[in-house]
Amino acid sequence: MSNLADKTEYKALNILAIMVKQFERLHYLDMTKIDDWDTTQARNLLEGIIQSNGYRINYNRDSKKPIHRER
């Protein structure tokens, strides 16, 4: 799945951010309560990985960078 390292590389965090943004597309679709719960948990876990590495997801559509440093 991945190479284990002391620090998660920036590219991996970018991919995770793109995945989290894709979860937003589920908002308009029908899902069971259990599936909604599971997808929300997955999204929160992915976002937590990004935040624990000192970044935030960039929801600005004009920006090409999916994440930015926390201030």
Side-chain angles (χ1 to χ4, degrees), residues 24-67:
E24 299 296 321
R25 298 174 65 189
L26 295 173
H27 177 71
Y28 300 103
L29 303 174
D30 293 335
M31 295 177 72
T32 65
K33 182 178 181 178
I34 293 171
D35 290 344
D36 181 63
W37 174 264
D38 289 341
T39 55
T40 300
Q41 293 289 56
R43 182 189 183 280
N44 290 341
L45 286 170
L46 294 174
E47 192 165 5
I49 293 168
I50 294 165
Q51 290 176 358
S52 69
N53 280 278
Y55 291 90
R56 292 265 180 200
I57 296 174
N58 186 1
Y59 289 101
N60 182 354
R61 294 178 191 246
D62 296 331
S63 177
K64 300 237 186 243
K65 295 185 177 187
I67 59 175

Side-chain angles (χ1 to χ4, degrees), residues 16-27:
L16 293 175
I18 291 167
M19 293 168 62
V20 168
K21 287 181 181 182
Q22 290 298 312
F23 278 90
E24 299 296 321
R25 298 174 65 189
L26 295 173
H27 177 71

